[in-house]
Amino acid sequence: MKRNFTIFCLFYVFFLNAQKNSDLTMKILNKKIFENQNVDFVLKNNSKENYYILIDTLFLADAKFDNNYFLNPYFVVVDEKNNEVPKISDILESSNIVDIKNINESFTLLEIKAKENLHFKLQFRIERNISSKQTNYFLIDRKKKYFASLKYNLSETFVDMGYVKKRIESLKKENYNIFIGTFESKKIPIIFAE
């Protein structure tokens, strides 16, 4: 009897954690992802809580930001063996000096109410011009098959940074929590432009 109770308790705790981790989910609506075309996706709030999603808009001058385009969530590309394809930008970014004043205005808080769905578009590119001095790109072989997913990731460390925390506190309403964590869509096949 004790053993059954212990198993039940462990299952219940596991179930609660699984529920917490699936508060927010993301689904790509396209069956295939075409290079240089928009990908339609939906963010779903499966919980009873209202959330703020922190959206990174720092490098979107070339995307003509209109609340439907943003950098986080971002694309993750994998090969047929599910190995993540490197995105070459860290090397270039490490040589740039980032102005903290600009970062202070480089994100927005997106409201997603309990049980609400929000629809977005995000253009998929193998190569993206970040600025006149910087480009980032996935290291791929166009003759091979690849898949892409959308991923959202926000750490507590970033949220607790001084300038970020101050801006969030100035915008935050009651009954909303900042979503901290990670969620990712399913992987969808990529079709490359010829």
Side-chain angles (χ1 to χ4, degrees):
M1 188 71 159
K2 271 186 173 180
R3 184 171 179 234
N4 287 345
F5 180 74
T6 305
I7 291 171
F8 174 77
C9 287
L10 288 172
F11 176 77
Y12 185 72
V13 168
F14 175 77
F15 178 75
L16 284 179
N17 283 336
Q19 286 295 99
K20 183 65 179 163
N21 292 335
S22 64
D23 277 0
L24 294 175
T25 56
M26 188 163 34
K27 181 180 180 183
I28 295 176
L29 301 176
N30 308 60
K31 293 189 178 179
K32 294 179 182 176
I33 294 176
F34 291 87
E35 184 181 5
N36 302 325
Q37 291 186 14
N38 287 337
V39 173
D40 295 312
F41 66 98
V42 62
L43 284 181
K44 296 182 178 189
N45 185 348
N46 305 307
S47 74
K48 295 177 183 176
E49 294 185 55
N50 298 325
Y51 280 110
Y52 276 120
I53 307 292
L54 193 68
I55 301 301
D56 178 6
T57 58
L58 181 59
F59 296 128
L60 291 181
D62 63 322
K64 297 176 183 170
F65 181 68
D66 65 359
N67 294 331
N68 286 331
Y69 295 88
F70 41 79
L71 196 63
N72 191 7
Y74 55 92
F75 286 102
V76 175
V77 175
V78 296
D79 62 18
E80 287 183 284
K81 295 178 182 176
N82 207 33
N83 297 316
E84 191 170 327
V85 174
K87 192 169 190 178
I88 307 301
S89 61
D90 292 345
I91 297 166
L92 296 171
E93 286 175 11
S94 65
S95 64
N96 289 345
I97 297 170
V98 178
D99 184 356
I100 297 294
K101 291 174 191 169
N102 289 337
I103 288 180
N104 192 28
E105 298 182 10
S106 69
F107 65 83
T108 189
L109 290 176
L110 177 72
E111 295 177 13
I112 184 165
K113 294 178 182 171
K115 304 299 179 186
E116 184 178 31
N117 294 344
L118 298 178
H119 293 261
F120 296 94
K121 295 178 185 295
L122 185 62
Q123 191 174 62
F124 175 75
R125 293 185 184 173
I126 293 299
E127 184 175 319
R128 178 180 284 279
N129 292 326
I130 299 296
S131 68
S132 58
K133 297 178 181 178
Q134 184 177 343
T135 299
N136 67 20
Y137 58 92
F138 290 102
L139 200 58
I140 55 125
D141 176 351
R142 289 178 176 271
K143 295 174 186 168
K144 295 183 179 179
K145 289 184 183 178
Y146 294 93
F147 301 84
S149 61
L150 273 167
K151 187 172 185 178
Y152 178 92
N153 183 28
L154 183 67
S155 70
E156 199 164 345
T157 306
F158 183 78
V159 171
D160 285 340
M161 289 173 78
Y163 62 90
V164 175
K165 195 170 189 175
K166 282 180 188 173
R167 182 132 188 264
I168 287 172
E169 286 171 357
S170 71
L171 297 170
K172 194 169 182 258
K173 298 178 189 173
E174 285 186 36
N175 303 322
Y176 277 85
N177 295 313
I178 302 292
F179 179 85
I180 295 172
T182 302
F183 53 90
E184 188 170 0
S185 72
K186 289 186 180 178
K187 296 173 180 68
I188 308 291
I190 299 173
I191 307 297
F192 297 113
E194 291 183 11

